[in-house]
Every structure is written in C-alpha cells, then in structure tokens.
C-alpha cells in the first residue's frame, strides 16, 4: 500500500514555505523527472498554466487560487481601491491563460468574492482571508476527490476492464483524482482492475501521466494509442469508460480532452457505460449547451513537432489543434460528483445537484 500512497498523497501544487510562492510539480517533465518549480510572479503562474506544467481542471483552479493570493500579498498598499484594481488586473491575466476548464475562473471568482465582500476588514484583514480561502479550495478538492472515488467505485466490479482518456488522476487534482479515483480506492480495498490508458495525442497526458500514476500505484495498466480504443472494446476487454471533465454544461454536454467524444461514440456502439467524473465546481449552469463552451486552440507545433525528433509533417501543412471536444449528453451514462451520481435527464439532475 505504500506505493499506492506515494501516488495518491503527493502535493502537486502547494503554497511555498515562504508564503510568497507557489510550488508545483512540473508535469511536462514527467515521467522522466520529478522536478519542482517555484512560481513567484504573475508571468510564472500564467506560463505554468498555459504550458501545462500544472494541468487538469481542479489543479489549475488550485494553482490559480494560491497564485492570486501571493500576487495580492505582493501588491503592497493599504489603500483598498488601489488594491482591488490591481487584484482585478492579476485576476484577468491569470484567467486568460486557458479558457475551457471552468475551475480556473471559478477559483479566481471565489477569491475575488473574498476581496469584495469583506472590504471593512482593510487590506491586511482581506489578505488573511484570501490565504484561508485558497487553502480551503485545495482542502475541499481533496474531500471531493474522495467522495467522487467512492461513488465511482460503487459502479464497478472487481476485475473490470476500464478505459480512460487523458489524465484525471492525483496530478490533475488533489489526492485521488476524479476519473482515476475509483481505481486507486478500489486498489486500497483489494480490488483489481485492468486499465487501458489512451495515450491522448497530441500532448500524451495518458502516456506520460496516467500510465505513470497507475503503474507506480501497482494497478494493471496497458497503454494504447488512441486509435486502438475500438479494438479493445470490440475484444470485450472494457466494462466501463471513466473520464474527467473540464466544463459540464447545464444540459449535460461535457467538454473534456480532445478525443473524449470519440471514446463516448465507441462506447455507445459497443454498449459500454461511459461515465464522466468531476467536482461540482466543473458544472457550469450558466452555460446552457456544449456549443456555448469556448474550446482552446493550441499551437500546430504540438501536433507536428513536439514529441518527435524531426517534424512529422511539412512546415506548410495546415494543422488544426483543438485541446478539447464536447461529448454530447446523449452518450453519457452518468455524471459522478461528490454529492452523488447524476443520471439523465441532466437538466434536472445537475440543477438539483447545484441547488443541493
Ligand atoms: O489539457 P489538460 O491536460 O489540462 O486537460 C485535462 C483534461 O481534459 C482532464 O480530463 C480534465 O481536466 C479533468 S482533470 C480531473
């Protein structure tokens, strides 16, 4: 169990001991090196999020919470108006790093509410509350991951074959993760799963992070290229698909890593349950449908060059590189949250969940 704990209990994002920095594991260096980065400036934090050094919707939110706290601390004025105006500039800047995962703006808005709702405390008092709030965001995420893992595990059987896409494990969150959480929790309870991890082109989060986390935890994992998912399903090796989410619209459409919707279409064809796991903060009722979710477009170099010794396509070849796609709600068997399992029709079940 020690090997399992080393995966599920890592601090991938934390407040630096000096109280003026954010320390993250640089996920772009994994699995070859576990390297910690110390982020001190707005540019450091923006870059870490934009370059996916810290990634996964909940982890991005946690990093932004710690980040805006240390930046607010460095503003160095007692004047509330000046403090708030500079806070807003930092917030806007960090928020622009990645558009699709709602957790980024959710965490920043939560921090802003502290600033606007307790003005009477003065800047010093507000800073104390901001510190408490960013720590609370992370603590709540730990508890949420644990509950999501329990609900997810209730849907699985010992020996099940599982397919997952991208990485929604401890590195993407705090502690257990979301989509991978039930597998770690099941392992703790003596259950065995056979997991197939999609490599997840172009940035290979499945290969670099998911297979790494599962292997280190002693869980049976087989890495496959994304285009092998249909074959392993057809072979009868998959009893459930588990994926994370970056934003869930009010009607149950789900934005997640590019390629997720293809997995869902295949799962429907082969009659395999397709489960989305994520915290309540990822459900965005202000966004009616998947079409309303802004999808991040990234550099063509990630497709043509990034992981290759020489480019795999001519420089002049056009390239389309959306980082996420939207899975239609009709393909989703259930959305698993920290407060229970939401089934279709999602408009009702998600609203009930949010109203709680
Ligand atoms: O671009 P990434 O690596 O940040 O994308 C991550 C995903 O799509 C995850 O599945 C999602 O954020 C959920 S993480 C618990």
């Amino acid at each position: 169990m020690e090997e399992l704990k080393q995966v599920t209990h890592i601090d991938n994002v934390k407040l630096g001991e000096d109280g003026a920095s954010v320390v993250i594991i640089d996920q772009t260096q994994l699995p070859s090196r576990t390297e910690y980065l110390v982020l001190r400036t707005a540019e450091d934090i923006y870059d870490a999020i934009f370059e996916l050094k810290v990634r996964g919707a909940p982890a991005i939110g946690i990093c932004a919470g710690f980040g805006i706290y240390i930046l607010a601390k460095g503003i160095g004025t007692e004047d509330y108006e000046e403090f708030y105006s500079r806070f807003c500039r930092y917030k806007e800047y960090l928020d622009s790093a990645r558009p699709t995962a709602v957790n980024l703006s959710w965490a920043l808005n939560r921090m802003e509410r502290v600033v606007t709702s307790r003005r009477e405390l003065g800047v010093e008092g507000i800073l104390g509350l901001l510190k408490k709030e960013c720590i609370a965001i992370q603590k709540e995420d730990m508890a949420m991951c644990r509950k999501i893992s329990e609900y997810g595990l209730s849907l699985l059987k010992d020996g099940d074959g599982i397919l997952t896409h991208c990485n929604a494990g401890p590195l993407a969150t705090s502690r257990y993760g979301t989509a991978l959480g039930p597998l770690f929790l099941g392992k703790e309870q003596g259950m065995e799963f056979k997991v197939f991890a999609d490599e997840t082109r172009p940035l290979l989060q499945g290969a670099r992070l998911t297979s790494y986390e599962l292997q280190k935890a002693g869980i049976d994992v087989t890495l496959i290229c994304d285009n092998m998912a249909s074959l392993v399903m057809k072979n009868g090796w998959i009893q459930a698909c588990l994926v994370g989410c970056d934003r869930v619209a009010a009607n149950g459409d789900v934005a997640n890593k590019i390629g997720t919707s293809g997995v869902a279409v295949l799962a429907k064809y082969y009659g395999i349950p397709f489960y989305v796991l994520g915290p309540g903060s990822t459900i965005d009722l202000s966004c009616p449908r998947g079409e309303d979710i802004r999808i991040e477009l990234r550099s063509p170099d990630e497709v043509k060059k990034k992981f290759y010794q020489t480019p795999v396509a001519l420089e002049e070849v056009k390239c389309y590189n959306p980082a996420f796609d939207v899975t239609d709600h009709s393909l989703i068997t259930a959305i698993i949250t920290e407060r229970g399992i939401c089934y279709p029709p999602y408009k009702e079940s998600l609203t009930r969940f949010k109203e709680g």
Side-chain angles (χ1 to χ4, degrees):
M1 284 302 139
E2 203 37 50
E3 51 182 9
L4 181 59
K5 225 171 164 194
Q6 276 170 18
V7 178
T8 54
H9 284 64
I10 48 146
D11 282 324
N12 56 333
V13 186
K14 61 184 174 189
L15 205 51
E17 274 169 24
D18 59 3
S21 58
V22 184
V23 180
I24 61 164
I25 292 181
D26 182 351
Q27 297 192 38
T28 61
Q29 301 299 321
L30 290 169
S32 325
R33 281 201 307 278
T34 304
E35 201 169 281
Y36 287 86
L37 288 179
V38 181
L39 316 174
R40 294 187 188 282
T41 65
E43 289 72 24
D44 290 347
I45 300 160
Y46 178 98
D47 173 77
I49 295 172
F50 180 76
E51 296 291 344
L52 276 64
K53 293 171 186 170
V54 55
R55 51 145 299 283
I60 292 171
I62 294 163
C63 182
F66 287 144
I68 193 90
Y69 164 64
I70 63 154
L71 296 174
K73 223 175 136 188
I75 291 175
T77 176
E78 286 299 310
D79 180 70
Y80 177 85
E81 297 303 336
E82 192 192 339
F83 175 77
Y84 182 46
S85 132
R86 292 197 44 203
F87 180 95
C88 288
R89 264 184 278 150
Y90 280 136
K91 178 185 171 233
E92 216 171 290
Y93 176 60
L94 296 186
D95 204 10
S96 68
R98 297 192 75 190
T100 304
V102 68
N103 305 62
L104 177 56
S105 50
W106 169 84
L108 290 168
N109 286 337
R110 206 171 138 166
M111 295 293 280
E112 185 185 4
R113 272 197 299 277
V114 170
V115 179
T116 51
S117 65
R118 301 305 302 274
R119 190 187 164 133
E120 75 281 3
L121 294 181
V123 171
E124 207 47 45
I126 288 172
L127 284 172
L129 290 186
L130 281 173
K131 182 174 183 186
K132 282 195 184 141
E133 191 73 0
C134 58
I135 292 171
I137 289 174
Q138 187 176 46
K139 281 223 167 95
E140 286 166 25
D141 192 66
M142 290 176 192
M144 276 184 304
C145 286
R146 174 76 195 198
K147 290 307 286 179
I148 289 168
S149 306
E150 287 169 10
Y151 284 118
L153 187 58
S154 73
L155 298 167
L156 306 178
K157 289 192 307 299
D158 194 22
D160 273 355
I162 306 293
L163 188 131
T164 188
H165 191 78
C166 194
N167 173 265
L171 284 163
T173 60
S174 299
R175 303 295 187 251
Y176 288 80
T178 54
L180 300 188
L183 308 176
F184 293 118
L185 192 62
K187 176 80 182 167
E188 257 176 38
Q189 298 174 6
M191 291 168 78
E192 298 292 343
F193 300 106
K194 286 195 181 312
V195 187
F196 289 83
D198 276 356
E199 63 172 352
T200 318
R201 279 212 75 202
L203 292 182
L204 306 176
Q205 289 92 330
R208 293 186 300 104
L209 308 172
T210 297
S211 71
Y212 164 82
E213 289 183 325
L214 293 171
Q215 183 75 31
K216 293 262 281 184
I219 294 173
D220 184 324
V221 58
T222 305
L223 179 63
I224 57 172
C225 299
D226 300 334
N227 54 9
M228 297 169 190
S230 176
L231 181 74
V232 296
M233 289 188 191
K234 188 174 184 185
N235 287 351
W237 297 346
I238 306 298
Q239 279 66 55
C241 298
L242 304 181
V243 299
C245 46
D246 286 83
R247 194 180 293 250
V248 179
N251 69 347
D253 289 349
V254 167
N256 192 51
K257 180 51 53 193
I258 188 73
T260 302
S261 67
V263 175
V265 171
L266 291 172
K268 182 92 171 175
Y269 180 79
Y270 290 110
I272 298 167
F274 183 88
Y275 298 120
V276 172
L277 299 90
S281 49
T282 310
I283 299 168
D284 182 4
L285 294 185
S286 73
C287 182
R289 302 159 312 155
E291 294 94 302
D292 305 307
I293 300 175
R294 194 172 141 211
I295 299 293
E296 174 184 3
L297 287 178
R298 295 186 63 89
S299 161
D301 286 353
E302 293 181 346
V303 175
K304 295 200 275 189
K305 298 184 185 162
K306 189 163 176 90
F307 288 104
Y308 305 98
Q309 277 185 335
T310 52
V312 293
L314 293 175
E315 185 67 31
E316 61 271 29
V317 168
K318 280 192 289 181
C319 181
Y320 175 51
N321 184 18
F324 300 93
D325 63 19
V326 173
T327 300
D328 193 85
H329 60 276
S330 62
L331 301 170
I332 299 170
T333 312
I335 300 174
I336 299 161
T337 71
E338 70 275 21
R339 288 222 296 272
I341 304 174
C342 299
Y343 289 100
Y346 291 115
K347 264 193 193 130
E348 278 105 85
S349 57
L350 292 175
T351 307
R352 260 199 316 277
F353 167 85
K354 276 291 207 187
E355 285 165 357

